[in-house]
Amino acid sequence: MSDAAHADGGHHEYGFFRKYIWSTNHKVIGKQFLWSSIFFLFIAGLLALSLRWNLAHPGEPVPVIGKLLFGGEGFVKPEQFTMLTSMHGTIMIFFVIIPILVGAFGNFLIPLHVGTHDMAFPVLNAASYWVFWVGCILILIAGGVGFNDAYWAGWTAYAPLSTLGGPGMTFWLLAMICVGTSSILGAVNYITTIVKMRAPGLGWMRLPLTTWAQFITAILQLIATPVLAAALTMLTFERLGFNFFTPGGLFEGGDITKTTLSHSGGVVLLWQHTFWFYSHPAVYILVLPAMGMASDLLSVGARKPIFGYTAMVASIAAIAGLGFIVWAHHMFMSGMNPYLGMAFMVSTMLIALPSSIKVFNWLGTLWRGQIRFDVPTLNAISFVSMFVIGGLSGIFMAATPVDIHIHDTYFIVAHFHYVVFGGSLFAVFGAIFFWFPKMFGRMMNSTLGKLHWFLTFVFFNTTFFPMHITGLWGMTRRYSDYTNVPMSMDDMQSLNRMITYSAICLGTSQLVFLFNFAWSIWKGKPADANPWQANTLEWTVPSPAPEHNYHVVPTVHHGPYEYGVRDDKDWTPQTETGGGAPPAAGH
Amino acid sequence: MRSHILKWGPLFALLLAGGAGTALAQESAPWGLPPGHSTIAPKVDHLYNVILWITGVTFVGVEGLLLWFCIRYRRRPGGKPGYTHGNNTAEIIWTVSPALVLIFIAIYQFSTWKEAKIALPDVNNPNVVTIQTFAQTFQWNFRYAGTDKKFGTDDDLIANKRFWLPVGSTAYMPLRSVDVIHSFFLFQMRVKQDTVPGLVNHVWFEPTGFYVAKVDKSAAPYKFDFKVGWRPKDTKKKWEGEYKFEFVNTEKNGEKEFHDKYGSKVVAIDSSFLYQDGLMRPSTPDANSVVIQNNEIRAGVPWRDVDYVIVPYEGTCAELCGLSHFTMSFEMWVVPRKVYDYYMAKDDFYAENAEEKVLDFWKQWKDGPIRKLTP
């Protein structure tokens, strides 16, 4: 990291350890989150490829990594398959997408965007990373303690299945408690920084949408995560002999468990309600920051102000608000009162509305622009186009009678991969490319970036679109082997193979990204302060951003999206006067 | 940066993805919903199709605009971007119109949901067959009330892994679980319901018919090593010639439909032995089966004499329930009344290896609490 060369004068020099490892600087912590998430992205990707291999060729050894991962002949045994799906889901959600969107970009960008030198509570910020790191170690133990003891109850950890099982389950719970704590610490910090430390002139409606999205996401995390913490604590204690989730009169022992179910008086659905009360908002935690960043990338790429800035902010807030009253749509088939299902169906339909407003506003942003097809813009456009598919397929499962058929099938798997991979990850790839110069002082290679974007776009669709079809045909989510039972799935086998081969190509394509990323840190073209001709505050300081962000606290004169106003250049940095219309939208 | 490949990239990629998908899937995979064979299925499928049309039109519109904007408004030398912060009228239009569509979808589905999950069938109706069901890892257990119509008495019939239903009846199944959460899923019935420990959930449906498979005598019996598919009238499959699936629609005329067409034929009613190893083949041409012919049940008929086989519907467990979750399937046999009565009259019925704890559980589950649904 070449920060060192640009370290500001006037501050005492730290040693290597204090500067790069045990740092309280928001940029270093942001990068630490970035390293960790990219590492876990590849771990969880390998898990996904292994389980996909088993679906295409059950009982056949996994090529290359089989013997290493699964021992013996190198094929995936059913118990390993369940571990693979569970770990893939958990790691991707809690150790890749949330930390990369919120941890990496939130940390790196918020102080720069609001024009301050660091987070409000730098030590708390470092603590949020190191608590997360403890969670990382614990989750690796949870998956690696030996396959029969490993965690395998699904990323949703439905009780009472999750009250059984080996020590891996306990490690999973402890890991979740750590990442939850990390989220809460981070959220407090983000909210305080954005509320209290904005530069002079930087009114609420002059904030970049990235920062707006981070702000609202932080509020979501602050309110929802404690509920998850309560659920996790209850489940941990249940495994120690307390009882919250297990009713009486059940069979004991059996081949799924080493412990017994000798409890009584618990309520099974309590776990689902508390879990989804966090985890549905968490779904929006997975996508709101991506929406914010994609908005910024699109505006810069199209050289045009965001269309309907106020509506964009309002719809982020609306998604967050409605996100708290839709959790039970994950439970339409759970046996909760079906009249309640109707109520949640209506609220779920409503939450599609702010998302559709955002899509139309993104289209409006591109309309009459001068679209520059650089890598960030390509990824941002892909984000919009894939998010549309993910959003529209959500309407099928929101309709309760249709959900009867597609609930817990691959249709659902396709839906959320379109949102979380097609949506969030494309935005992340764009954002990494976009802010890379500000992080490392160098540009990523554009040709490799475009190659990676193209391969990812193609293979993403060939991997996940066919899952809609297998799901409609009744292929349930968690079966490890369809070749014996049910026989009705035989027709799906060729499609399953195609999905697997595409997934392998998709996984391999990510090596292009990895290479480009690593190579560009050392060998990339040195970057100017403002390589994208963008307006927001971080582009007024040198690349990479100096340790103490701003020598002089910047004064903001207008909103962040004043593109195409002036005649001499088509951008107007927020620190310069001469912006066009007032930042408020629509008048 | 501005090569044509990149300009046309998204379109090219989509075409490639679609083309590759179609080509590779062509061999056997069907598209869209599998055939639905219950009275609720057409309503669910109709709703699915309505949403498919609405989202399909939206999809084409939005992605088309996106693509067109990408081409039309690509950067040109000396070009100047249009400067605007928004347009209130446009924003109101694209807020209100999706809102109306979404409210329409929300209201439109109420009646189907009510029929599927709220309007419990009348258990005293003779056409309603109550089958108590409980799930354990990794097996489905079923119980019939027997001739006295009361559960918890000596003439109860218990079964596992499979259950029978007479043509033209509605199955009403109170669902329980004795260890973890399972989910009762019959995809051709468009039926799914979790079984939750500590709760009695309910599922009900009326099948509109069943499948029979025609046995082709010209093929050597022991070469029947092809797997069963569910697509009716599948003429392209490689197993054509061995089995041809025909759907017997009994919704309007009940059993008449079956007897008119297959009455005089030898129709095997227990093809379970065919499913060993997941391969639909008898161990030998002399393997005995139970058949129905001219509405008479005969046992001990060798396989080589069989013309047709009644094929059960396959059900699965849709909720992760442990390490062998994938083995937890069951069969639903929709059969003519005579066949149903034949199985109901058997003393041992069909409870393979019924464990003591299973019998104990049945003993303590009498009629069971029937939850009254209130809004």
Side-chain angles (χ1 to χ4, degrees):
Chain A
M1 281 167 278
S2 38
D3 286 31
H6 299 266
D8 259 14
H11 287 267
H12 41 272
E13 284 289 322
Y14 291 124
F16 174 85
F17 186 75
R18 183 70 171 77
K19 193 187 274 176
Y20 294 122
I21 311 291
W22 200 250
S23 174
T24 55
N25 187 301
H26 72 100
K27 292 182 290 295
V28 177
I29 296 171
K31 286 177 204 168
Q32 285 172 330
F33 269 112
L34 188 65
W35 308 131
S36 319
S37 318
I38 290 178
F39 170 73
F40 275 106
L41 177 68
F42 281 84
I43 295 276
L46 277 184
L47 298 179
L49 294 185
S50 307
L51 73 91
R52 274 310 325 172
W53 178 264
N54 189 61
L55 287 172
H57 298 279
E60 292 175 34
V62 182
V64 191
I65 53 172
K67 284 187 181 158
L68 189 72
L69 279 180
F70 309 106
E73 299 281 306
F75 63 87
V76 180
K77 295 157 200 69
E79 58 269 30
Q80 294 170 339
F81 181 89
T82 324
M83 180 282 286
L84 288 174
T85 52
S86 308
M87 291 296 292
H88 168 73
T90 305
I91 292 180
M92 279 298 188
I93 290 167
F94 295 104
F95 295 87
V96 179
I97 305 290
I98 292 182
I100 209 168
L101 285 174
V102 178
F105 287 104
N107 260 311
F108 188 83
L109 292 175
I110 288 174
L112 284 167
H113 271 172
V114 302
T116 184
H117 60 283
D118 205 333
M119 284 288 179
F121 312 112
V123 179
L124 197 66
N125 202 19
S128 93
Y129 178 72
W130 291 108
V131 173
F132 167 78
W133 213 76
V134 176
C136 292
I137 295 175
L138 289 171
I139 199 71
L140 289 175
I141 298 175
V145 286
F147 284 112
N148 289 321
D149 294 331
Y151 166 66
W152 47 258
W155 84 272
T156 53
Y158 272 12
L161 186 65
S162 53
T163 67
L164 314 167
M169 188 63 225
T170 309
F171 280 107
W172 182 86
L173 284 165
L174 296 175
M176 285 296 105
I177 290 173
C178 289
V179 291
T181 309
S182 165
S183 277
I184 295 173
L185 298 181
V188 172
N189 223 337
Y190 293 4
I191 293 172
T192 314
T193 308
I194 296 171
V195 172
K196 299 299 289 184
M197 298 174 72
R198 277 171 290 127
L202 187 59
W204 281 104
M205 297 317 262
R206 289 178 174 182
L207 279 176
L209 285 172
T210 301
T211 302
W212 257 115
Q214 292 286 357
F215 178 66
I216 291 170
T217 306
I219 295 173
L220 270 182
Q221 284 186 309
L222 194 61
I223 298 174
T225 320
V227 180
L228 177 70
L232 292 168
T233 311
M234 285 194 284
L235 191 51
T236 312
F237 274 83
E238 173 130 353
R239 291 173 60 79
L240 297 173
F242 287 66
N243 187 44
F244 299 99
F245 304 116
T246 314
L250 304 185
F251 286 5
E252 295 187 1
D255 51 353
I256 56 162
T257 166
K258 297 189 175 76
T259 53
T260 62
L261 281 163
S262 53
H263 292 293
S264 67
V267 179
V268 171
L269 292 191
L270 176 63
W271 170 263
Q272 294 186 27
H273 280 295
T274 45
F275 179 82
W276 287 118
F277 188 83
Y278 164 78
S279 290
H280 195 80
V283 171
Y284 297 107
I285 295 170
L286 296 176
V287 80
L288 285 182
M291 288 174 162
M293 296 194 298
S295 306
D296 279 12
L297 303 192
L298 282 178
S299 175
V300 175
R303 315 306 295 163
K304 256 194 78 203
I306 281 288
F307 198 94
Y309 176 88
T310 317
M312 291 297 249
V313 174
S315 53
I316 296 177
I319 291 173
L322 287 168
F324 278 107
I325 54 165
V326 297
W327 78 87
H329 69 210
H330 298 270
M331 299 167 60
F332 284 151
M333 300 303 128
S334 70
M336 95 186 162
N337 191 322
Y339 284 101
L340 206 54
M342 281 173 148
F344 277 98
M345 178 271 292
V346 174
S347 62
T348 307
M349 287 289 169
L350 284 181
I351 207 168
L353 189 56
S355 305
S356 73
I357 293 172
K358 292 192 81 73
V359 168
F360 288 125
N361 280 341
W362 284 321
L363 285 178
T365 305
L366 292 176
W367 172 68
R368 289 176 57 202
Q370 285 284 316
I371 304 169
R372 192 171 67 186
F373 287 102
D374 45 23
V375 180
T377 314
L378 286 171
N379 278 297
I381 291 171
S382 306
F383 162 86
V384 175
S385 114
M386 296 298 101
F387 179 77
V388 166
I389 300 181
L392 290 175
S393 67
I395 295 176
F396 288 90
M397 59 211 67
T400 46
V402 182
D403 187 60
I404 295 173
H405 183 61
I406 59 180
H407 187 82
D408 268 329
T409 65
Y410 265 80
F411 196 93
I412 308 288
V413 179
H415 160 71
F416 65 68
H417 279 95
Y418 263 92
V419 178
V420 178
F421 192 140
S424 304
L425 261 189
F426 270 113
V428 162
F429 288 137
I432 289 178
F433 205 95
F434 187 75
W435 277 293
F436 191 88
K438 203 47 69 183
M439 289 180 174
F440 303 105
R442 292 174 186 279
M443 304 295 286
M444 281 173 82
N445 182 290
S446 181
T447 311
L448 285 177
K450 281 173 184 169
L451 179 69
H452 167 253
W453 163 79
F454 180 76
L455 293 174
T456 307
F457 189 86
V458 173
F459 292 125
F460 166 78
N461 279 294
T462 51
T463 302
F464 292 104
F465 198 83
M467 288 187 187
H468 290 112
I469 300 160
T470 57
L472 275 184
W473 195 251
M475 180 169 163
T476 55
R477 275 173 74 168
R478 324 243 197 208
Y479 271 32
S480 62
D481 186 343
Y482 290 87
T483 49
N484 285 341
V485 277
M487 283 169 278
S488 36
M489 284 303 123
D490 286 345
D491 280 347
M492 288 293 119
Q493 202 53 25
S494 62
L495 210 50
N496 265 327
R497 289 196 174 164
M498 178 211 151
I499 293 172
T500 296
Y501 303 149
S502 298
I504 292 170
C505 296
L506 180 63
T508 315
S509 309
Q510 303 318 305
L511 297 177
V512 179
F513 168 79
L514 198 62
F515 172 77
N516 194 3
F517 185 83
W519 184 81
S520 301
I521 287 179
W522 307 110
K523 300 279 181 187
K525 197 178 74 176
D528 306 335
N530 191 2
W532 310 108
Q533 293 93 42
N535 285 347
T536 41
L537 292 176
E538 75 270 29
W539 305 107
T540 60
V541 298
S543 299
E547 185 181 341
H548 198 76
N549 298 339
Y550 298 96
H551 283 291
V552 182
V553 174
T555 303
V556 174
H557 295 284
H558 51 78
Y561 301 115
E562 295 304 310
Y563 294 102
V565 188
R566 291 160 52 154
D567 292 327
D568 54 336
K569 56 179 184 182
D570 70 351
W571 74 101
T572 317
Q574 280 186 288
T575 50
E576 291 179 15
T577 51
H587 300 289
Chain B
M1 184 184 281
R2 301 193 37 233
S3 72
H4 286 280
I5 283 285
L6 285 167
K7 249 183 274 170
W8 293 93
L11 178 66
F12 178 54
L14 271 180
L15 287 178
L16 196 68
T22 320
L24 280 163
Q26 201 64 47
E27 192 195 337
S28 71
W31 293 74
L33 284 164
H37 295 309
S38 69
T39 49
I40 193 77
K43 291 161 191 160
V44 172
D45 295 358
H46 169 71
L47 198 58
Y48 169 84
N49 287 320
V50 167
I51 298 175
L52 186 65
W53 272 105
I54 292 173
T55 53
V57 169
T58 316
F59 171 76
V60 172
V62 170
E63 302 283 2
L65 266 185
L66 188 65
L67 202 60
W68 183 57
F69 285 175
C70 284
I71 297 161
R72 171 73 180 75
Y73 300 115
R74 68 189 182 276
R75 170 170 268 195
R76 292 182 171 96
K80 196 168 159 49
Y83 176 82
T84 171
H85 277 281
N87 180 313
N88 277 356
T89 318
E91 287 178 56
I92 287 169
I93 290 172
W94 67 51
T95 304
V96 173
S97 38
L100 292 176
V101 174
L102 290 167
I103 290 168
F104 163 75
I105 299 175
I107 294 171
Y108 193 66
Q109 63 188 295
F110 277 160
S111 62
T112 310
W113 178 246
K114 195 155 182 274
E115 190 178 336
K117 292 285 180 189
I118 294 174
L120 282 163
D122 174 14
V123 291
N124 297 318
N125 182 329
N127 279 334
V128 174
V129 180
T130 304
I131 305 167
Q132 291 184 333
T133 305
F134 80 86
Q136 67 181 113
T137 53
F138 302 92
Q139 179 169 292
W140 294 94
N141 298 285
F142 306 97
R143 177 165 74 165
Y144 294 82
T147 45
D148 66 354
K149 312 270 186 216
K150 281 197 174 65
F151 287 100
T153 54
D154 286 342
D155 70 341
D156 287 0
L157 290 166
I158 60 169
N160 57 34
K161 294 176 189 155
R162 68 212 72 195
F163 65 96
W164 280 259
L165 202 60
V167 160
S169 60
T170 297
Y172 165 62
M173 311 178 82
L175 302 170
R176 294 178 69 174
S177 168
V178 292
D179 35 42
V180 298
I181 301 171
H182 303 271
S183 189
F184 182 92
F185 182 27
L186 269 166
F187 71 98
Q188 286 144 312
M189 299 293 120
R190 306 291 187 267
V191 152
K192 187 181 285 137
Q193 180 66 55
D194 286 4
T195 70
V196 180
L199 286 183
V200 182
N201 288 340
H202 310 273
V203 76
W204 57 91
F205 53 90
E206 184 185 341
T208 54
F210 56 93
Y211 281 104
V212 294
K214 185 174 199 278
V215 182
D216 185 350
K217 299 290 179 53
S218 63
Y222 23 78
K223 283 185 75 184
F224 289 178
D225 55 354
F226 293 107
K227 294 168 184 177
V228 181
W230 268 112
R231 215 145 34 125
K233 293 178 190 163
D234 188 342
T235 52
K236 283 183 191 159
K237 292 203 62 127
K238 53 190 172 186
W239 44 259
E240 190 199 13
E242 276 85 13
Y243 293 93
K244 189 170 174 215
F245 282 76
E246 294 166 10
F247 183 68
V248 188
N249 191 332
T250 58
E251 192 181 6
K252 292 208 172 62
N253 295 318
E255 287 190 34
K256 191 169 179 301
E257 194 73 27
F258 173 73
H259 291 298
D260 285 353
K261 192 165 177 194
Y262 305 99
S264 59
K265 301 285 194 296
V266 182
V267 182
I269 60 171
D270 178 6
S271 61
S272 292
F273 70 95
L274 295 174
Y275 288 84
Q276 294 155 10
D277 311 327
L279 304 173
M280 193 168 176
R281 62 180 174 206
S283 46
T284 119
D286 300 319
N288 285 335
S289 41
V290 186
V291 302
I292 180 170
Q293 186 183 21
N294 296 324
N295 210 21
E296 289 299 324
I297 306 286
R298 285 195 288 134
V301 178
W303 172 255
R304 63 164 65 84
D305 293 343
V306 170
D307 299 316
Y308 289 89
V309 190
I310 293 181
V311 183
Y313 290 102
E314 284 184 309
T316 50
C317 173
E319 192 66 77
L320 179 63
C321 57
L323 298 178
S324 300
H325 165 57
F326 73 106
T327 62
M328 196 166 165
S329 59
F330 62 91
E331 293 168 4
M332 177 180 73
W333 293 76
V334 179
V335 289
R337 177 63 70 166
K338 190 90 179 179
V339 177
Y340 178 75
D341 290 341
Y342 164 78
Y343 281 107
M344 289 295 132
K346 287 177 75 152
D347 278 346
D348 55 344
F349 204 41
Y350 213 106
E352 289 172 352
N353 315 318
E355 297 170 274
E356 200 60 38
K357 61 184 179 183
V358 171
L359 299 174
D360 283 348
F361 185 83
W362 283 129
K363 270 181 209 141
Q364 54 91 15
W365 186 7
K366 304 289 185 195
D367 279 339
I370 301 298
R371 191 173 43 151
K372 185 87 180 135
L373 295 168
T374 45

